[in-house]
Amino acid sequence: MSEILATQIKWHEGHVTRTERSQLLRQQGCTLWFTGLSGSGKSTLAVALEQVLIRNGHAAYVLDGDNIRFGLNSAPKTLLESRGYSEASAKRFGLGFSAEDREENIRRIGEVAKLFADAGLIAITSFISPYRKDRDAARRIHEQNKSGPIPFVEIYVNTPIEVCEQRDPKGLYKQARDAVAQGKGMGFTGVDDPYEPPLNPELTIDCSSRSTQELVLEIVRYLEHRQLLAAP
Amino acid sequence: MSEILATQIKWHEGHVTRTERSQLLRQQGCTLWFTGLSGSGKSTLAVALEQVLIRNGHAAYVLDGDNIRFGLNSAPKTLLESRGYSEASAKRFGLGFSAEDREENIRRIGEVAKLFADAGLIAITSFISPYRKDRDAARRIHEQNKSGPIPFVEIYVNTPIEVCEQRDPKGLYKQARDAVAQGKGMGFTGVDDPYEPPLNPELTIDCSSRSTQELVLEIVRYLEHRQLLAAP
């Protein structure tokens, strides 16, 4: 028989506290918010950090384009074709890349990261998130969390655009430069849409000069220093 | 020095697997989807179950109206007044209680529950979720998860409407009956909006005849039987 079934089940009014969750997972729930240009190395770093944390016993989870833009924040087309939405609903709720769609995209991600962190996990987000106002709103969601403020760590991946553009793994910069040359805008961050660097990020990192291992180590050191990797 | 910093940080290409997450948390990530009328006892049960799971070493998290309807799925008014949205954006992205807003509400909750379960947690959702089509869509999101199907357990809280209406902790049934009597619709589930009972729920529960403790025990037994509370 399992431990739960062997015990008398007793239950008290009220929610589980954040402290109880932290003690169970032996860490502080928090959000690590990576921001930077396309090709800056955000995702490589986020995935490497997640792996190191998990293999050392810490519950962490990466939210990125793969699991958000094809799920929670699907494009209108996906809602229409795969979710059976009406055209009006798909157009209304689906997200593209206009300024207001990006704002809503980042708002939803901020809300979900907050829920993960509230559950005790280390939420790692990896999105360009180019607008300062939207990132600040995500931070505020964490600060104003109902059951108490949640640590929000903004990590600015400050790789020079020349390096990002040289890597260009998906050929997006080239596509954007071509579009601009032909007089058509693409709204691509760093080319024809602004990237607003963080003013006071908790960490600034340049992926062009150091190895992933070194950078992950630096972030882990910071988390240790903030006492986020231990029970309260 | 921490264990992580003492170890040589090594990192391999590729994402962490679901199996690794399950081994870390000693459980299978899954979603327990409570559905039933207002006042049926969903939330009491969800919160009690979460508490019992956590106090027995299992990472679980309740998604309910409190943390979803005031966050991820805010009303237009909240987006306008607290998030600084334009009137057009607030109206477009904010959610009310029309059929299409309810559909989008449940879709987003299904997506977020899936992310929690994919991260290895036991996600517990507590929403009326009255439409069969919307619940089935949430199930499908879990079945079609990219890194492999995720267990989805639909728990039908089948408390008779007479009992729900007698409890009526927030006076909502009375309000809805009065509105209908005055010829004004409120779209309230069970009064002037339909509740479509699940056809094949994994569990059916009647909160009117048994104690919360007994019902939590029954759900835990089911989770044990499905081997969801152990490492793979």
Side-chain angles (χ1 to χ4, degrees):
Chain A
M1 189 162 48
S2 82
E3 272 179 63
I4 299 188
L5 297 180
T7 332
Q8 177 96 27
I9 290 208
K10 278 192 192 160
W11 158 76
H12 307 276
E13 284 288 339
H15 270 278
V16 173
T17 62
R18 290 266 301 292
T19 307
E20 278 181 89
R21 296 184 198 276
S22 301
Q23 282 163 348
L24 170 63
L25 296 172
R26 296 179 308 282
Q27 64 188 25
Q28 307 283 344
C30 60
T31 290
L32 313 182
W33 189 281
F34 284 92
T35 172
L37 293 167
S38 176
S40 61
K42 293 183 302 300
S43 280
T44 304
L45 207 50
V47 166
L49 177 62
E50 179 191 40
Q51 204 184 86
V52 167
L53 288 172
I54 286 182
R55 297 208 171 137
N56 285 279
H58 291 285
Y61 193 69
V62 172
L63 301 170
D64 60 14
D66 278 352
N67 56 22
I68 292 292
R69 277 281 188 185
F70 296 98
L72 178 66
N73 295 352
S74 290
K77 198 171 180 289
T78 309
L79 295 181
L80 186 70
E81 293 174 3
S82 309
R83 305 288 179 215
Y85 269 43
S86 70
E87 277 203 45
S89 284
K91 198 175 156 193
R92 180 179 152 200
F93 296 123
L95 297 183
F97 290 88
S98 71
E100 75 223 29
D101 287 32
R102 285 176 168 226
E103 178 178 23
E104 174 68 1
N105 181 47
I106 295 302
R107 184 191 72 82
R108 290 189 200 164
I109 292 161
E111 293 284 2
V112 172
K114 188 207 75 173
L115 292 173
F116 270 88
D118 189 49
L121 270 78
I122 300 169
I124 304 173
T125 67
S126 173
F127 298 89
I128 300 176
S129 46
Y131 308 139
R132 199 172 289 142
K133 168 171 86 61
D134 297 349
R135 294 191 307 265
D136 288 349
R139 182 188 290 273
R140 219 158 33 240
I141 288 170
H142 286 71
E143 287 172 350
Q144 298 173 351
N145 177 54
K146 221 175 124 187
S147 66
I150 291 175
F152 181 89
V153 179
E154 193 173 5
I155 305 175
Y156 174 30
V157 185
N158 182 23
T159 309
I161 190 164
E162 298 73 32
V163 176
C164 300
E165 196 153 355
Q166 211 170 8
R167 290 178 182 166
D168 202 13
K170 297 173 200 158
L172 296 171
Y173 283 96
K174 190 179 173 322
Q175 219 178 305
R177 296 276 179 212
D178 289 351
V180 169
Q182 289 165 34
K184 293 178 290 190
M186 208 173 111
F188 191 79
T189 302
V191 176
D192 61 343
D193 209 64
Y195 178 82
E196 302 171 352
L199 299 179
N200 288 302
E202 276 75 7
L203 285 170
T204 300
I205 270 173
D206 179 347
C207 284
S208 63
S209 58
R210 292 160 68 204
S211 73
T212 301
Q213 277 82 348
E214 284 176 307
L215 297 169
V216 167
L217 192 65
E218 181 179 336
I219 298 170
V220 169
R221 267 203 201 101
Y222 176 84
L223 299 178
E224 289 280 347
H225 172 72
R226 284 277 302 267
Q227 304 190 286
L228 296 171
L229 300 184
Chain B
M1 190 161 47
S2 82
E3 272 179 63
I4 300 187
L5 297 181
T7 332
Q8 179 98 24
I9 290 209
K10 279 190 195 163
W11 158 76
H12 307 275
E13 284 289 337
H15 270 277
V16 173
T17 63
R18 291 265 301 292
T19 307
E20 278 181 272
R21 296 184 198 276
S22 301
Q23 282 164 345
L24 171 63
L25 296 173
R26 297 178 307 282
Q27 64 188 26
Q28 307 282 346
C30 60
T31 291
L32 314 181
W33 189 281
F34 285 92
T35 173
L37 293 167
S38 177
S40 60
K42 293 183 302 300
S43 279
T44 304
L45 208 50
V47 167
L49 178 62
E50 180 192 38
Q51 204 183 87
V52 167
L53 287 171
I54 287 182
R55 298 208 171 136
N56 285 279
H58 291 285
Y61 192 68
V62 172
L63 300 170
D64 60 13
D66 279 353
N67 57 23
I68 292 291
R69 277 280 187 185
F70 295 99
L72 178 66
N73 295 352
S74 290
K77 199 171 179 285
T78 309
L79 295 180
L80 186 69
E81 293 174 3
S82 310
R83 304 289 178 214
Y85 269 44
S86 69
E87 276 202 45
S89 284
K91 199 176 157 191
R92 179 177 154 203
F93 297 123
L95 297 182
F97 290 88
S98 71
E100 74 223 29
D101 287 33
R102 284 178 170 225
E103 178 179 22
E104 172 68 1
N105 181 48
I106 295 302
R107 186 192 70 82
R108 290 189 199 165
I109 292 161
E111 292 284 2
V112 172
K114 188 207 74 174
L115 292 172
F116 269 89
D118 189 49
L121 270 79
I122 300 169
I124 304 172
T125 67
S126 172
F127 297 89
I128 299 174
S129 45
Y131 307 140
R132 200 173 289 142
K133 169 171 85 60
D134 297 350
R135 293 191 306 265
D136 288 349
R139 182 187 291 272
R140 217 155 38 238
I141 289 170
H142 286 71
E143 287 172 351
Q144 299 174 351
N145 177 53
K146 222 175 123 186
S147 66
I150 291 175
F152 182 88
V153 179
E154 193 172 5
I155 305 174
Y156 175 29
V157 185
N158 183 22
T159 308
I161 190 164
E162 299 71 32
V163 177
C164 300
E165 194 153 357
Q166 210 168 11
R167 290 178 182 166
D168 203 12
K170 296 174 198 156
L172 295 171
Y173 282 96
K174 190 178 175 320
Q175 219 178 307
R177 297 276 178 212
D178 290 350
V180 168
Q182 289 166 33
K184 293 179 289 187
M186 209 173 107
F188 192 79
T189 302
V191 176
D192 59 344
D193 209 63
Y195 178 81
E196 303 171 353
L199 298 179
N200 287 302
E202 276 74 6
L203 285 170
T204 300
I205 270 172
D206 179 348
C207 285
S208 64
S209 59
R210 292 160 68 204
S211 72
T212 301
Q213 276 83 347
E214 285 175 306
L215 297 169
V216 167
L217 193 64
E218 182 180 335
I219 298 170
V220 169
R221 265 201 205 101
Y222 175 85
L223 299 177
E224 289 281 347
H225 172 73
R226 286 277 304 267
Q227 303 190 287
L228 296 171
L229 300 184

